[in-house]
Amino acid sequence: MKRFIAPIIILILATVGYFVAQELLSYRTATFILDPSVESISIHSSADSDEATPSLKTLTPQNSSIRLKEGAYYYIPSGDDVSNTQVPFVVAGDVTLTVKPGYSTRKLAELATTELGAVQGALLQKYPSVINGFEVNNLALFQRGEWAGIIITPVGMDTSNPEGYYRAILHKVNSQWQVVGAPRIVLTLDNTPTVSRELLTSVNELLLR
């Protein structure tokens, strides 16, 4: 009887060992390089779309790696001036990711106040013959403050009965604002092809003030 039991035990142990090895081999190392503006990030499985679900782990600049099973995940950045929007990523092998999220709404609003004069100056330089008849009605910055969306209206326009106003996008390059494309009533990929659909949508959704 013992002669039969020993091979069975060996087979069971070998089978268990195989599946344990396969499980361990399915895990990969994800390393995150955090921008100085980011204090930490929380790692979540994409299967848990509810942000209230406890994170798998919180990473900091001092402890920025995690072992994850291959699959889809997302992280949420944390910091005084950064957006806490979910950022998806996929683990299919060992991976290194740079974490540099856009600024928070509060930070972007603060920057917009300081950049208004420079944006107006860029418009005047681009359209010196016509811009004097218009004024910036609304200005919003995006990402890390290097993209701007504006609404320009005829000077003195009645916002309760608006007409003849336009939207435009500017990009800050080497500390200088540049107008991208031409002001339009509605911005599209056809008339402003060098700008992402997401940014075009955000600027089209700006409201008159």
Side-chain angles (χ1 to χ4, degrees):
M1 179 66 71
K2 291 182 178 179
R3 291 199 306 269
F4 294 105
I5 293 176
I8 292 174
I9 292 174
I10 292 173
L11 179 60
I12 292 173
L13 291 175
T15 302
V16 171
Y18 171 79
F19 284 108
V20 169
Q22 288 297 107
E23 178 71 9
L24 292 175
L25 289 173
S26 69
Y27 280 79
R28 308 297 183 185
T29 299
T31 302
F32 296 84
I33 301 172
L34 276 60
D35 183 80
S37 61
V38 180
E39 296 175 1
S40 64
I41 60 172
S42 58
I43 307 297
H44 302 257
S45 169
S46 290
D48 301 322
S49 58
D50 185 359
E51 292 184 11
T53 303
S55 65
L56 300 175
K57 188 177 181 180
T58 297
L59 303 180
T60 65
Q62 296 75 33
N63 180 21
S64 59
S65 294
I66 183 174
R67 293 282 290 174
L68 294 170
K69 196 170 184 178
E70 293 183 349
Y73 299 86
Y74 66 89
Y75 65 80
I76 302 176
S78 177
D80 289 340
D81 294 330
V82 300
S83 169
N84 57 3
T85 302
Q86 295 181 9
V87 180
F89 67 97
V90 174
V91 174
D94 291 347
V95 62
T96 299
L97 300 170
T98 298
V99 179
K100 191 175 182 180
Y103 285 142
S104 64
T105 301
R106 176 190 57 80
K107 176 68 173 179
L108 290 172
E110 291 176 358
L111 291 175
T113 300
T114 64
E115 294 290 345
L116 177 59
V119 167
Q120 291 174 324
L123 288 169
L124 181 61
Q125 183 177 14
K126 181 75 172 181
Y127 304 106
S129 61
V130 297
I131 200 62
N132 284 335
F134 289 82
E135 59 187 355
V136 176
N137 173 273
N138 195 359
L139 163 66
L141 299 184
F142 300 93
Q143 298 181 16
R144 296 181 73 86
E146 75 275 26
W147 289 94
I150 60 172
I151 297 178
I152 52 176
T153 61
V155 174
M157 184 191 77
D158 181 3
T159 55
S160 64
N161 185 29
E163 59 181 357
Y165 66 92
Y166 301 89
R167 301 174 189 273
I169 290 177
L170 295 90
H171 187 204
K172 197 172 191 180
V173 180
N174 296 326
S175 301
Q176 299 294 321
W177 286 107
Q178 300 176 2
V179 181
V180 180
R184 304 283 183 170
I185 296 174
V186 177
L187 297 166
T188 68
L189 287 172
D190 289 330
N191 57 40
T192 317
T194 60
V195 177
S196 70
R197 183 187 301 274
E198 180 183 10
L199 181 55
L200 292 172
T201 299
S202 296
V203 177
N204 283 328
E205 291 176 349
L206 289 177
L207 300 177
L208 287 167
R209 291 182 173 176

